[in-house]
Amino acid sequence: VRIIVAGAGPAGAMAALELAREGADVVLAEKRAWPREKTCGDAISPLGIAEGRECGISIEGCVRLPQALIGVPSGRTFRGKWPQYTPWGTTIARNDFDALLVDAAIRAGATFHPETPVVRLRHEGDALVATVGDRRDSTRDIVVDAAIVADGASGGIASSMGFSKFRSRLVALRGYIDSAVPLDPEYGLFFDRMLAPGYGWIFPMNERRANVGILLDEATLARSRRDLRGLFATWFERSPLYRERFGGSVVSDVRGGIIPSGRRNRAIGRVFLAGDAAGVADPFTAEGIFQAMSSGKLAARSLAQSPDVETARRRYERELAVFDRNERVARAMRATFRFAIDPYARRAEKNAEFAGHLASEVFFLKRSFAGFVWGLTRAW
Ligand SMILES: Cc1cc2nc3c(=O)[nH]c(=O)nc-3n(C[C@H](O)[C@H](O)[C@H](O)COP(=O)(O)OP(=O)(O)OC[C@H]3O[C@@H](n4cnc5c(N)ncnc54)[C@H](O)[C@@H]3O)c2cc1C
């Protein structure tokens, strides 16, 4: 079985790794020179660490962040430890993390081609033809049994193939900053009125350096009549949490990106979408690395373990239902967060166990809104 994977981010690398392990002939084609930078908050959650471990990828040497400091629009803050999965999350520069995954895929037997864009995919009868480019701007056609498209948030392959549009898009901006004081080993997430239901973040890369940024939905950004950089500067100046830690330090390497969520269909014919291309990122937290890894793995297993491509398609859509449920809850949380969070945060300020529960319920996979509320009520 010959399969082409377009894009070597976490979704594509995990897909290639799993396919190679299943014995498929897999070509991992990446548009850019490798390793490549990816604009990101660099945070790998406990879910992402667990997903990597399950596939034999370990990032044990990185900074350990066993808790989150969460600020809510009323100004309350609470700290919550993650009780599940792995007890800590981490941060790691994306070119390093993504290279780890690609190296694992190569070791498993995938053939990796950087600077090789997949220009087009087309069904021809029962076959799929992939047109790929090379460094000399020429192209060639390869006949494959299937393709996993993992070309990220701005990749355009799916849009030319009849896939549905994304239901929502978050916009985010990040930079790096050095701190005058040692940083606490925790994810800092600060929801305030200006950004809610989005947030500003401080994710320590080590004791003195942090990835900082802001995140909000496109509609909130449009209503603010500001550009993202202006909003970031204002947020940074007026947030005491940033001022305390970074004083007059300057944020460097400021870059933005989008995080799309919610596609109705993720497999057509012999083409399967994974990661941001499939819209599986969480539309509340914007976590997308774990979801990319997991969807890449699920797409690969569906293709490799099903007797035919139609069964593989059905299996894949069924397995992605976990992200659809999470998306629905995350959208409901987005709509109610501003008004509903304060009583929970008040409780969390006083009760460490509840704070951990709240942090986990908000940030990890959510199965239903009723279940989310019920879980919190029981922990109260
Ligand atoms: C500012 C910002 C901060 C974020 N912070 C976090 C965070 O802290 N934690 C988290 O979990 N998530 C975060 N996310 C989301 C996360 O970055 C994405 O969800 C994740 O990278 C998706 O992985 P992917 O493999 O689907 O796509 P990508 O990582 O984008 O990889 C896609 C790859 O496909 C390649 N490509 C594109 N077109 C083609 C083509 N035609 N042919 C071949 N290759 C192609 C690209 O060059 C790229 O290498 C953030 C996003 C942004 C924008």
Side-chain angles (χ1 to χ4, degrees):
V1 179
R2 185 157 215 226
I3 297 176
I4 189 162
V5 179
M14 282 292 277
L17 170 64
E18 283 297 308
L19 285 167
R21 282 190 179 158
E22 294 278 349
D25 171 6
V26 48
V27 175
L28 175 58
E30 162 60 44
K31 179 169 83 174
R32 292 170 58 190
W34 197 256
R36 58 94 177 90
E37 286 238 353
K38 161 77 177 86
T39 303
C40 190
D42 300 329
I44 316 287
S45 77
L47 285 175
I49 294 174
E51 189 70 25
R53 265 191 200 158
E54 197 202 305
C55 299
I57 293 147
S58 158
I59 43 173
E60 302 289 327
C62 295
V63 61
R64 291 190 177 205
L65 307 172
Q67 63 184 15
L69 167 64
I70 298 176
V72 303
S74 66
R76 289 178 200 286
T77 55
F78 65 91
R79 288 190 157 83
K81 287 195 188 301
W82 320 118
Q84 300 158 290
Y85 309 106
T86 59
W88 48 276
T90 193
T91 50
I92 172 171
R94 281 295 300 276
N95 46 2
D96 294 335
F97 181 68
D98 293 11
L100 272 178
L101 300 185
V102 168
D103 288 349
I106 295 169
R107 276 198 308 276
T111 315
F112 178 49
H113 296 279
E115 295 180 70
T116 306
V118 175
V119 180
R120 195 167 42 249
L121 294 170
R122 62 178 194 282
H123 286 100
E124 264 183 21
D126 235 11
L128 183 68
V129 181
T131 304
V132 297
D134 63 22
R135 281 174 220 176
R136 294 181 305 278
D137 279 343
S138 58
T139 61
R140 70 199 160 95
D141 285 351
I142 316 175
V143 179
V144 290
D145 295 293
I148 294 180
V149 173
D151 57 351
S154 45
I157 300 175
S159 56
S160 61
M161 299 204 69
F163 286 95
S164 67
K165 289 206 164 69
F166 297 113
R167 263 190 292 272
S168 63
R169 281 158 33 116
L170 298 172
V171 287
L173 198 74
R174 72 93 174 101
Y176 293 94
I177 190 163
D178 293 316
S179 157
V181 293
L183 294 164
D184 291 328
E186 60 194 10
Y187 292 115
L189 299 117
F190 310 109
F191 297 87
D192 85 350
R193 291 199 173 81
M194 187 170 104
L195 302 173
Y199 60 84
W201 74 75
I202 301 175
F203 295 159
M205 305 295 291
N206 56 42
E207 218 190 33
R208 295 279 177 178
R209 190 170 173 76
N211 180 314
V212 293
I214 59 167
L215 161 85
L216 68 171
D217 63 48
E218 275 187 323
T220 310
L221 179 64
R223 270 199 306 276
S224 79
R225 294 165 192 242
R226 308 277 299 278
D227 68 5
L228 207 50
R229 278 175 191 260
L231 221 48
F232 186 48
T234 309
W235 160 258
F236 208 81
E237 270 161 31
R238 71 172 217 194
S239 164
L241 294 148
Y242 278 81
R243 269 204 315 274
E244 263 165 34
R245 287 163 177 80
F246 305 112
S249 305
V250 177
V251 188
S252 63
D253 193 16
V254 178
R255 285 166 204 255
I258 59 165
I259 302 104
S261 293
R263 269 209 207 271
R264 257 196 343 274
N265 54 350
R266 274 80 42 120
I268 293 179
R270 294 174 176 273
V271 179
F272 289 57
L273 308 181
D276 277 358
V280 287
D282 186 307
F284 182 67
T285 64
E287 180 180 4
I289 298 171
F290 153 69
Q291 291 80 349
M293 293 167 77
S294 176
S295 59
K297 178 185 79 182
L298 293 172
R301 288 190 183 165
S302 301
L303 273 165
Q305 296 172 357
S306 302
D308 54 69
V309 75
E310 199 185 322
T311 314
R313 263 196 323 262
R314 279 204 303 272
R315 170 173 164 177
Y316 185 48
E317 290 286 7
R318 217 172 32 244
E319 302 214 82
L320 288 187
V322 62
F323 297 116
D324 294 335
R325 283 197 292 273
N326 180 73
E327 193 226 333
R328 283 196 290 276
V329 184
R331 282 196 294 139
M333 279 172 59
R334 230 163 70 172
T336 53
F337 180 81
R338 205 188 296 241
F339 317 103
I341 187 66
D342 208 47
Y344 292 114
R346 202 176 319 141
R347 170 87 177 157
E349 268 179 342
K350 298 194 190 104
N351 181 322
E353 202 180 322
F354 182 77
H357 196 82
L358 179 57
S360 303
E361 286 287 345
V362 169
F363 288 101
F364 299 151
L365 281 178
K366 302 165 272 286
R367 287 170 204 284
S368 74
F369 195 61
F372 167 68
V373 175
W374 171 237
L376 289 178
T377 311
R378 268 200 335 201
W380 189 276

